[in-house]
């Protein structure tokens, strides 16, 4: 990464912080300006009479005390008790006399008291300001009122220093941090990085130190300048100058300056090492409007200043200073005169052309060369002092100081660089030893000992590395053992110790195996449930041993355990000989005989099992497995993943084909079946998938539609309807149950479709007077979640339940009659009726009629359809009808398609008839009635 890139890293954040720090400058100026304005507002002192009783009592004054005069006294008046300037003026008010005074303020704390003169009392009374609760204890133990005025000059100085410090520190960080980061990432010896980093840090530290010294010296010079101005003011005061009328004392001022300022032509010796060699070069006194009264130059500078004025086109030196040097400083001073602060500035650019470079450089370093000072007395501006200072000697002294610091910095840099170079070489020597040692560890050499005696963190690091070496050696040994264990767990069955399905796929992927057998123990789950898992495991182990022993007698066969009750046997010929389906069938038959013909003995009990075997052969001339040979030509190393993926897919396909043949053998009750292309019917699989997707959408989008078929009473009773499930597709096609019911059950979507059917059927008959029936299967009532949903739906529509009949399918599929009984006991209290559908198609029908609390039976259509021509059907229907009448159970005959059958039903006293003769299924009640 380049240095420019390091500087641009997060530049937006750094720029935002820098802008924020720069904005601190105008903010702190606004704050100082606000404090400055507050500091010059006079404080209004008010004393109302008559005085309150508590004040009179505190000072021991009589109730009729009469005030003659009041003064305010404090540090500003040297605590005089009767200075006329600080006398409060009496103002007549409605409540009495009110004494008022506007006290000028200045930065800091102002302590004061009110001096009250009472009539007929020789001594005045000193009291606190009753309107100011703030007090302070003086060094003599007295309490004084105090005003807290913001010391804005000190606040301004501190805020400026803090702002500059923050800005400078952040700028140094932005400069140094990327530079050091870039430097430490350069390709060079470590000790050189230390030396260069040390030099950079020392230079920056020296710059900061020099900046602080420069600021400190500026403040000291400014303080010395204030003392010089104060000395001049004392001289004027000693000469009895009346500062309230400066404009009338020009001669006196000129005389004083000619005697005390002009003759001082001797400078301090240049060889003296002092920063206080600055002297006043020019000095002026201005009146309170800022107009020049007198201007004096040191005698040695008088001719020089006149020459500069003429060079710049001024008529005199006075004009040169008033319109040139102080043209910008004076208006600023007059505007802020009440602050009483010394203001300094550099000379304007328009007059810099007459100065030599040495003077301009010294002025730039010092930060000022001109000054103004308001003359304040008791809050009143009486005039101004203005002047210039010499800065040449300061520049020379600063240069000497800079040279000394450069020499000091050079010495420190040389010494620290040498030390850092020595330390860096020692450190890098140990680090290089550590690096060489770690490279050996990477290469697998864990026997080399490491010894470093540096008595610091590097030695501790070396000791930790050595501990790591021992730990790695132990870990590698444990990992090796764990890998062996994991390999066995991942590729071998823990019960039989035979390779598992994953190992089979891995072995098949090498393309060396050409045939595969899948052996499955028939009905093994029932054996497990009946005899227990331990007995089942013993059977699996015995079968595994028989298969293994049989295969060991032959060559080229490998045994795998690929399922709970499944084994796979792979054929890998040693030569290029092929295996036919007939040979595979012979092998499978012999294997089956070896497994099944001999009883399995377990706890002195003999057990016989049967197996189903399926086989598949890889043959390039058939379509048994995909022919991938054309795709496996490896020309480059990048083709290897594609080859491995194709081989893995071929292995999985071979196993699936063998398993498909095994399932076909079991279904046809054969011992062995060999896979052929006809067994894999992709069109059927694709159709099943399409139907499953369609049924899922039907359940989600409510495509289920109830079709109603009329149930015609053969006696004087109301008509009924049976709700038959249909699926209405968006294209208008309506699917009958025969087109989707098997797929719905196989895909486990039937409960969702049935629930939707019930919802729509109940909604259709909710506001109708007719009774209706719904078909329900064992799956709907045997699964608790499905049953709970049905009960919740019935409970929510309790008014419909008395007209609802559930038709239970009576066939060999009903095996859990306890679930049927529980369902009947649940829905009967709600008012629902129960009917047995397709009665006559299952087993033990009359026994079920006796055990179940049912309301009706629907005679299967296989009996009714041929009732007019089959005497056996007539006998059976007559028997069922008579039995039902004696049990007070209603009867319904399905598939009534001609008048002859309908007449016979009337003879047998059947209660209801249903069929196309009476009405076809229709999507609404009105249409179902119209099809009659």
């Amino acid at each position: 990464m380049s240095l420019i890139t390091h500087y641009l890293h997060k530049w937006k954040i750094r720029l935002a912080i820098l802008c924020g720090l720069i904005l601190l400058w105008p903010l702190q100026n606004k704050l100082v300006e606000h404090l400055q304005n507050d500091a010059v507002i006079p404080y209004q002192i008010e004393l109302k009479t008559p005085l309150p009783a508590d004040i009179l009592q505190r000072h021991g004054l009589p109730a009729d005390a009469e005030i003659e005069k009041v003064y305010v006294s404090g540090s500003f008046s040297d605590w005089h008790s009767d200075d006329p300037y600080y006398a409060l003026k009496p103002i007549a008010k409605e409540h009495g006399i009110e004494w008022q005074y506007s006290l000028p303020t200045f930065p800091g704390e102002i302590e004061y008291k009110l001096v009250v003169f009472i009539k007929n009392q020789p001594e005045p009374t000193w009291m606190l300001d009753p309107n100011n609760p703030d007090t302070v204890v003086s060094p003599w133990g007295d309490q004084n009122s105090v005003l807290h005025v913001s010391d804005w000059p000190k606040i301004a100085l501190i805020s400026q220093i803090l702002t500059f410090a923050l800005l400078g520190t952040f700028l140094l960080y932005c400069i140094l941090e990327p530079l050091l980061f870039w430097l430490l990432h350069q390709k060079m010896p470590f000790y050189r990085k230390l030396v260069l980093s040390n030099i950079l840090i020392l230079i920056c530290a020296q710059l900061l130190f020099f900046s602080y010294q420069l600021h400190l010296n500026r403040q000291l010079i400014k303080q010395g300048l204030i003392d010089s101005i104060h000395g001049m003011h004392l001289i004027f005061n000693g000469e009895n100058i009346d500062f309230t009328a400066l404009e009338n004392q020009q001669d006196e001022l000129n005389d004083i300056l000619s005697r005390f300022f002009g003759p001082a032509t001797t400078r301090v010796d240049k060889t003296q090492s002092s920063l206080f060699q600055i002297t006043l070069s020019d000095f002026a006194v201005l009146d309170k409007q800022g107009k020049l009264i007198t201007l004096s130059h040191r005698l040695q500078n008088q001719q020089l200043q006149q020459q500069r004025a003429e060079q710049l086109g001024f008529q005199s030196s006075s004009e040169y200073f008033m319109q040139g040097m102080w043209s910008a400083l004076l208006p600023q001073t007059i505007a802020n005169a009440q602050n009483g602060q010394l203001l300094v500035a550099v000379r304007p650019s328009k007059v810099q052309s007459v100065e030599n470079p040495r003077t301009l450089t010294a002025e730039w370093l010092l930060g000022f060369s001109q000054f103004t000072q308001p003359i304040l007395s008791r809050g009143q501006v009486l005039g101004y002092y203005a002047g210039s200072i010499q800065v040449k000697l300061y520049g020379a002294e600063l240069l000497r100081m800079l040279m000394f610091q450069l020499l000091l910095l050079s010495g420190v840099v040389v010494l620290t660089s040498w030390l850092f170079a020595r330390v860096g070489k020692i450190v890098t020597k140990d680090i290089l030893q550590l690096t060489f040692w770690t490279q050996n560890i990477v290469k697998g050499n864990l026997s080399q000992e490491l010894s470093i005696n540096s008595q610091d963190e590097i030695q501790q690091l070396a000791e930790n590395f050595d501990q790591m070496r021992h730990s790695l050696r132990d870990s590698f040994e444990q990992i090796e053992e764990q890998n062996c264990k994991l390999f066995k767990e991942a590729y071998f069955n823990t019960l039989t110790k035979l390779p598992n399905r994953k190992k089979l796929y891995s072995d098949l992927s090498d393309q060396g195996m050409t045939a595969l057998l899948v052996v499955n123990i028939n009905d093994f789950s029932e054996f497990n449930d009946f005899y227990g898992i331990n007995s089942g495991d013993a059977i699996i182990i015995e079968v595994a041993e028989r298969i293994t022993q049989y295969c060991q007698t032959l060559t080229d066969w490998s045994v795998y355990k690929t399922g709970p009750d499944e084994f796979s046997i792979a054929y890998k010929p040693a030569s290029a000989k092929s295996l036919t389906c007939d040979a595979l069938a012979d092998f499978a038959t012999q294997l089956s005989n070896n497994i099944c013909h001999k009883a399995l003995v377990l706890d002195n009990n003999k057990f016989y099992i049967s197996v189903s075997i399926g086989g598949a052969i890889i043959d390039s001339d058939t379509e048994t497995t995909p022919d991938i040979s054309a795709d496996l030509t490896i020309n480059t190393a990048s083709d290897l993943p594609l080859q491995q993926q194709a081989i893995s897919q071929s292995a999985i396909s071979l196993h699936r084909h063998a398993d498909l043949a095994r399932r076909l053998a079991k279904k046809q009750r054969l011992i062995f079946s060999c896979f052929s292309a006809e067994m894999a019917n992709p069109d059927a699989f694709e159709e099943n998938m399409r139907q499953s997707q369609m049924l899922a959408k039907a359940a989600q989008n409510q495509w289920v539609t109830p079709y109603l078929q009329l149930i015609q009473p053969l006696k004087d009773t109301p008509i009924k309807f049976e709700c038959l499930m249909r699926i209405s597709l968006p294209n208008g096609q309506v699917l009958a149950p025969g087109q989707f019911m098997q797929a719905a059950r196989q895909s486990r979507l039937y409960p969702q479709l049935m629930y939707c059917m019930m919802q729509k059927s109940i909604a259709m008959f909710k506001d109708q007077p007719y009774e209706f029936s719904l078909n329900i299967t064992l799956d709907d009532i045997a699964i608790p979640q499905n049953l709970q949903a049905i009960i919740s739906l019935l409970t929510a529509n309790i008014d419909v339940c008395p007209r609802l009949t559930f038709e239970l399918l009576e066939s060999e599929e009903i095996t859990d009659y306890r679930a049927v009984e529980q369902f009947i006991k649940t829905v009967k209290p709600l008012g629902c009726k129960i009917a047995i559908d397709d009665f006559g198609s299952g087993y033990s029908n009359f026994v079920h009629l006796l055990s179940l609390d049912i309301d009706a039976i629907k005679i299967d259509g296989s009996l009714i359809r041929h009732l007019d021509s089959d005497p056996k059907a007539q006998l059976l229907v007559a028997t069922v009808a008579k039995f039902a009448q004696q049990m007070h159970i209603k009867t319904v005959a399905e598939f009534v398609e001609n008048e002859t059958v309908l007449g016979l039903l009337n003879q047998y006293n059947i209660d209801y008839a249903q069929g196309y003769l009476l009405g076809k299924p229709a999507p609404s009640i009105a249409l179902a009635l119209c099809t009659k």
Side-chain angles (χ1 to χ4, degrees):
M1 188 180 292
S2 66
L3 180 60
I4 301 299
T5 306
H6 280 86
Y7 275 108
L8 293 179
H9 180 61
K10 297 183 179 179
W11 68 272
K12 293 183 179 180
I13 299 177
R14 297 184 183 188
L15 181 61
I17 297 175
L18 183 61
C19 293
L21 292 175
I22 293 175
L23 288 176
L24 287 178
W25 186 257
L27 291 178
Q28 62 95 17
N29 285 340
K30 286 291 183 181
L31 175 63
V32 171
E33 182 180 352
H34 175 72
L35 296 175
Q36 179 180 348
N37 294 334
D38 290 345
V40 299
I41 299 176
Y43 175 70
Q44 299 297 325
I45 299 177
E46 297 178 352
L47 182 65
K48 297 179 181 179
T49 58
L51 295 174
D54 58 333
I55 296 179
L56 295 174
Q57 183 179 1
R58 185 184 312 128
H59 296 283
L61 299 176
D64 57 348
E66 182 179 349
I67 299 176
E68 291 184 340
K69 51 186 176 180
V70 181
Y71 299 91
V72 58
S73 180
S75 56
F76 44 83
S77 65
D78 291 333
W79 295 99
H80 290 163
S81 61
D82 55 354
D83 190 338
Y85 179 79
Y86 294 103
L88 275 69
K89 295 181 180 180
I91 298 176
K93 298 286 184 177
E94 295 180 359
H95 56 79
I97 301 298
E98 183 175 308
W99 300 82
Q100 297 181 353
Y101 184 77
S102 295
L103 179 65
T105 58
F106 51 86
E109 291 187 349
I110 303 175
E111 296 185 29
Y112 68 97
K113 271 189 174 181
L114 299 181
V115 185
V116 181
F117 287 85
I118 306 297
K119 188 176 181 179
N120 300 326
Q121 286 193 6
E123 296 295 330
T125 300
W126 294 69
M127 64 176 60
L128 300 175
D129 185 355
N131 298 319
N132 184 6
D134 296 335
T135 60
V136 66
V137 178
S138 69
W140 298 274
D142 296 333
Q143 273 194 331
N144 299 326
S145 295
V146 63
L147 296 175
H148 300 284
V149 182
S150 299
D151 193 354
W152 62 267
K154 183 182 296 184
I155 295 174
L157 178 61
I158 294 174
S159 63
Q160 290 174 1
I161 292 175
L162 288 177
T163 303
F164 277 123
L166 288 173
L167 187 59
T169 302
F170 184 73
L171 283 174
L172 283 177
Y173 168 79
C174 292
I175 295 173
L176 275 182
E177 189 270 341
L179 186 60
L180 291 175
F181 186 85
W182 172 81
L183 179 62
L184 292 176
H185 286 79
Q186 295 303 301
K187 190 175 182 180
M188 65 175 66
F190 179 69
Y191 71 91
R192 290 185 184 176
K193 296 180 180 180
L194 287 178
V195 171
L196 293 176
S197 301
N198 169 66
I199 292 174
L200 288 174
I201 294 173
L202 284 177
I203 292 174
C204 292
Q206 190 65 30
L207 287 175
L208 289 175
F209 180 70
F210 180 76
S211 300
Y212 172 73
Q213 277 193 324
L214 181 63
H215 172 76
L216 182 62
N217 292 332
R218 284 180 176 180
Q219 298 302 316
L220 292 175
I221 293 298
K222 188 182 292 187
Q223 187 61 45
L225 178 60
I226 293 174
D227 292 340
S228 298
I229 298 172
H230 185 253
M232 293 299 301
H233 183 74
L234 291 178
I235 291 175
F236 290 147
N237 190 62
E239 294 293 326
N240 297 318
I241 293 296
D242 184 6
F243 290 97
T244 60
L246 288 173
E247 63 275 7
N248 300 325
Q249 303 179 73
Q250 182 178 9
D251 295 336
E252 290 83 354
L253 291 172
N254 286 333
D255 179 65
I256 295 172
L257 290 175
S258 64
R259 286 186 289 114
F260 291 99
F261 182 74
T265 59
T266 304
R267 294 181 179 177
V268 179
D269 189 1
K270 294 181 180 180
T271 60
Q272 294 182 1
S273 298
S274 172
L275 291 174
F276 302 101
Q277 293 174 338
I278 303 298
T279 58
L280 295 178
S281 174
D282 311 280
F283 192 82
V285 180
L286 292 78
D287 63 13
K288 54 187 174 182
Q289 282 79 29
K291 296 181 180 180
L292 181 66
I293 297 175
T294 181
L295 171 64
S296 179
H297 312 287
R298 290 190 183 276
L299 296 179
Q300 60 181 0
N301 292 334
Q302 187 170 1
Q303 185 177 0
L304 177 63
Q305 301 293 17
Q306 184 62 35
Q307 292 176 355
R308 291 174 176 173
E310 292 175 357
Q311 291 178 10
L312 294 173
F314 294 106
Q315 298 298 323
S316 63
S317 61
S318 299
E319 186 178 339
Y320 164 63
F321 275 95
M322 293 298 293
Q323 300 179 15
M325 297 285 277
W326 303 332
S327 59
L329 185 60
L330 278 177
Q332 183 181 359
T333 304
I334 295 172
N336 298 278
Q338 287 295 334
N339 296 330
Q341 299 297 313
L342 175 72
L343 296 182
V344 294
V346 297
R347 67 191 70 215
S349 58
K350 62 184 179 181
V351 299
Q352 290 182 357
S353 60
V354 296
E355 287 291 348
N356 57 61
R358 179 184 172 188
T359 301
L360 293 177
T361 302
E363 181 185 41
W364 176 76
L365 291 173
L366 179 59
F368 63 91
S369 63
Q370 313 299 314
F371 70 87
T372 55
Q373 173 65 59
I375 305 173
L376 289 178
S377 177
R378 296 178 175 178
Q380 301 296 319
V381 179
L382 305 179
Y384 302 92
Y385 294 132
S388 301
I389 61 174
Q390 287 183 308
V391 294
K392 294 180 182 178
L393 294 179
Y394 179 81
E397 179 65 23
L398 182 63
L399 181 61
R400 286 194 296 271
M401 182 181 68
L402 179 61
M403 293 301 299
F404 173 77
Q405 290 187 352
L406 287 177
L407 289 174
L408 180 62
L409 176 62
S410 301
V412 173
V413 166
V414 171
L415 178 60
T416 55
S417 299
W418 179 79
L419 290 175
F420 273 110
R422 291 287 299 167
V423 172
K425 289 181 179 180
I426 294 173
V427 172
T428 52
K429 178 183 176 182
D430 294 334
I431 293 176
L432 288 174
Q433 188 176 353
L434 281 173
T435 303
F436 178 75
W437 183 81
T438 52
Q439 289 175 349
N440 288 335
I441 290 181
V442 172
K443 295 176 182 179
N445 182 10
L446 299 176
S447 60
Q448 183 180 359
E449 298 285 343
L450 178 65
S451 177
I452 293 178
N453 185 20
S454 60
Q455 302 297 324
D456 55 12
E457 289 83 356
I458 297 180
Q459 180 177 347
Q460 185 178 359
L461 181 62
E463 293 173 353
N464 292 338
F465 274 170
D466 198 53
Q467 293 178 3
M468 181 185 69
R469 179 180 64 85
H470 289 287
S471 178
L472 284 175
R473 185 175 60 188
D474 297 338
S475 297
F476 286 161
E477 294 175 355
Q478 294 176 3
I479 289 172
E480 187 67 26
E481 296 176 359
Q482 190 68 19
N483 284 342
C484 294
K485 183 179 179 180
L486 290 176
F487 180 80
K488 291 181 180 180
E489 291 179 355
Y491 289 97
F492 289 85
N493 180 261
T494 56
L495 179 64
T496 62
K497 311 304 180 185
L498 292 175
N500 59 14
R501 182 192 297 259
K502 188 181 295 185
K503 187 67 168 64
L504 171 64
Y505 289 169
S506 177
D507 292 344
L508 286 173
S509 298
D510 63 9
Q511 285 191 320
M513 297 179 180
T514 59
L516 183 68
L517 289 177
V518 174
V519 181
N520 183 266
I521 303 174
N522 295 330
D523 303 323
F524 180 72
S525 59
E526 297 179 4
F527 184 92
N528 242 355
D529 295 340
F530 190 78
Y531 291 104
I533 295 176
N534 294 333
S535 299
D537 290 346
I539 295 297
I540 291 293
I541 294 173
E542 178 64 24
V543 172
E545 290 179 356
R546 292 188 180 186
I547 296 176
T548 304
Q549 290 174 2
Y550 178 74
C551 291
Q552 286 176 351
T553 61
L554 306 173
T555 57
D556 306 332
W557 294 93
S558 302
V559 184
Y560 300 85
K561 179 72 165 57
T562 53
D565 54 359
E566 179 182 288
F567 297 88
S568 295
I569 306 171
Y571 177 68
K572 182 179 180 181
S575 60
K577 62 181 181 179
S578 60
L579 189 68
T580 64
C581 282
D582 293 338
L584 196 62
D586 292 340
F587 177 81
T589 303
Q590 296 173 13
L591 178 63
S592 175
N593 294 336
N594 186 271
I595 297 173
C596 304
H597 287 186
K598 183 180 179 181
L600 300 173
V601 181
L602 182 63
D603 294 335
N604 298 324
N605 295 321
K606 293 183 178 181
F607 301 94
Y608 290 90
I609 62 173
S610 64
V611 296
S612 300
I613 304 176
I617 300 175
I618 294 180
D619 189 351
S620 60
D621 296 331
T622 67
E623 297 180 356
T624 302
T625 56
D627 183 10
I628 61 171
S629 58
D631 299 328
L632 299 181
T633 302
I634 301 177
N635 297 321
T636 63
S638 61
D639 292 330
L640 185 58
L642 179 61
Q643 179 202 29
Q644 293 175 345
Q645 182 178 2
I647 292 174
S648 177
Q649 185 63 35
S650 176
I652 295 174
S653 298
L654 181 64
H655 182 258
R656 289 178 177 174
H657 292 163
D659 187 64
L660 182 61
R662 191 270 310 164
R663 282 183 279 147
L664 182 62
K666 183 177 181 179
K667 186 175 182 180
Q668 296 179 354
R669 301 186 183 277
L670 301 175
I671 296 177
F672 172 77
S673 177
C674 187
F675 177 80
S676 62
E678 292 77 12
M679 294 182 183
N681 187 358
D683 294 337
F685 297 152
E686 185 177 351
E687 177 62 20
N688 292 338
M689 183 62 69
R690 188 195 65 79
Q691 280 207 350
S692 297
Q693 294 174 353
M694 181 273 295
L695 292 173
K697 290 184 179 179
Q700 181 180 0
N701 300 323
Q702 303 274 317
W703 290 351
V704 176
T705 303
Y707 266 60
L708 311 179
Q709 188 175 24
L710 180 66
I711 301 177
Q712 179 66 41
L714 300 181
K715 299 178 182 179
D716 190 13
T717 54
I719 62 173
K720 300 180 180 181
F721 294 91
E722 179 180 4
C723 298
L724 303 172
M725 185 184 297
R726 299 289 189 271
I727 292 181
S728 299
L729 300 179
N731 61 5
Q733 182 182 2
V734 179
L735 302 181
Q739 296 175 276
F740 65 84
M741 190 58 69
Q742 183 179 359
R745 296 186 185 279
Q746 292 291 336
S747 61
R748 306 294 191 271
L749 292 171
Y750 178 74
Q752 301 178 39
L753 300 175
M754 181 59 195
Y755 186 76
C756 180
M757 175 69 180
M758 288 187 61
Q759 283 183 312
K760 290 191 173 183
S761 299
I762 291 176
M764 185 178 292
F765 283 92
K766 187 174 183 63
D767 299 325
Q768 299 293 331
Y770 305 109
E771 293 188 18
F772 64 100
S773 61
L774 286 168
N775 290 290
I776 197 166
T777 66
L778 182 62
D779 291 339
D780 298 321
I781 61 178
I783 300 176
Q785 295 87 341
N786 298 345
L787 179 60
Q788 183 61 40
I790 293 173
I791 299 303
S792 300
L793 183 61
L794 294 176
T795 306
N797 298 275
I798 194 68
D799 56 325
V800 181
C801 293
R803 292 184 282 113
L804 172 59
T805 300
F806 285 106
E807 296 184 5
L808 297 172
L809 180 63
E810 161 49 40
S811 69
E812 63 270 19
E813 295 179 0
I814 297 183
T815 57
D816 189 0
Y817 278 91
R818 287 178 297 179
V820 175
E821 292 177 0
Q822 183 61 38
F823 173 74
I824 294 174
K825 292 179 180 179
T826 303
V827 300
K828 277 277 191 175
L830 300 177
C832 299
K833 300 179 180 63
I834 303 296
I836 297 295
D837 196 12
D838 295 340
F839 189 80
S841 62
Y843 305 99
S844 306
N845 300 42
F846 292 101
V847 176
H848 298 160
L849 289 176
L850 293 174
S851 61
L852 300 176
D853 182 15
I854 64 174
D855 300 286
I857 58 175
K858 299 188 73 172
I859 304 173
D860 188 63
S862 61
L863 299 176
I864 303 301
R865 185 180 290 111
H866 305 292
L867 188 63
D868 56 346
S869 58
D870 188 353
K872 294 181 180 180
Q874 296 174 5
L875 178 60
L876 184 54
V877 171
T879 303
V880 171
K882 186 175 181 181
F883 174 80
Q885 292 169 9
Q886 293 178 356
M887 296 294 297
H888 303 289
I889 297 174
K890 299 295 183 180
T891 54
V892 181
E894 297 181 307
F895 286 90
V896 179
E897 298 178 351
N898 56 64
E899 293 290 346
T900 305
V901 173
L902 184 60
L904 291 173
L905 294 178
N906 283 312
Q907 294 179 15
Y908 300 144
N909 290 323
I910 300 297
D911 298 300
Y912 293 90
Q914 180 181 355
Y916 275 23
L917 176 65
L918 303 173
K920 297 181 180 181
S924 66
I925 297 175
L927 291 176
L929 291 173
C930 291
T931 60
K932 181 179 177 181

